[in-house]
């Protein structure tokens, strides 16, 4: 049984908001490193990927997963620019470049992943 249209739209809005929160958290934390080890970037990529997979598996809805990813990409885009005081959250560095490219790749993989095929006996 498919959920009603208002329920689906509501789930897309919630997914977008959750994606925004995860995107902000990953964007802020991606630059944290312990010595040479980019701990923040690794945790941000793992957390974002896990969220996308969880939304895809729990809702079985590509659009909800896409809304989550759109929230992540939107927050990364907003925080990548210069602020009113000239500050930048995502500097033009290797870590910033990897974070900026990793999010759309994760979203594309999660959305394009095939549905589970039911077993026939």
């Amino acid at each position: 049984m498919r959920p009603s249209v208002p329920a689906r739209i509501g789930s897309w809005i919630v997914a977008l908001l959750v994606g925004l929160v995860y995107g902000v958290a990953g964007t802020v934390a991606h630059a944290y490193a312990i010595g040479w080890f980019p701990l923040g970037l690794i945790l941000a990529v793992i957390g974002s990927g896990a969220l996308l997979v969880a939304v895809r598996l729990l809702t079985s809805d590509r659009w909800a997963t896409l809304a989550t990813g759109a929230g992540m990409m939107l927050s990364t885009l907003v925080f990548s620019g210069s602020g009113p005081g000239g500050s930048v959250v995502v500097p033009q560095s290797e870590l910033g470049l990897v974070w900026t490219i990793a999010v759309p790749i994760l979203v594309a993989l999660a959305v394009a992943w095939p549905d589970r095929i039911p077993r026939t006996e």
Side-chain angles (χ1 to χ4, degrees), residues 18-117:
V18 170
L20 283 169
V21 170
Y22 264 74
V24 168
T27 301
V28 170
H30 85 278
Y32 181 73
I34 298 177
W36 56 269
F37 188 70
L39 181 63
L41 178 65
I42 291 172
L43 291 177
V45 169
I46 289 172
S48 297
L51 174 68
L52 290 166
V53 168
V55 168
R56 179 67 196 272
L57 290 176
L58 291 174
T59 63
S60 298
D61 185 8
R62 292 180 198 272
W63 291 102
T65 308
L66 186 61
T68 306
M72 288 180 187
M73 290 187 289
L74 181 64
S75 61
T76 302
L77 175 69
V78 168
F79 283 103
S80 293
S82 303
S87 62
V88 177
V89 177
V90 181
Q92 191 172 0
S93 65
E94 291 84 17
L95 292 178
L97 183 65
V98 169
W99 173 246
T100 304
I101 293 173
V103 173
I105 290 173
L106 289 172
V107 172
L109 288 174
V111 171
W113 196 263
D115 292 330
R116 287 188 279 173
I117 299 171

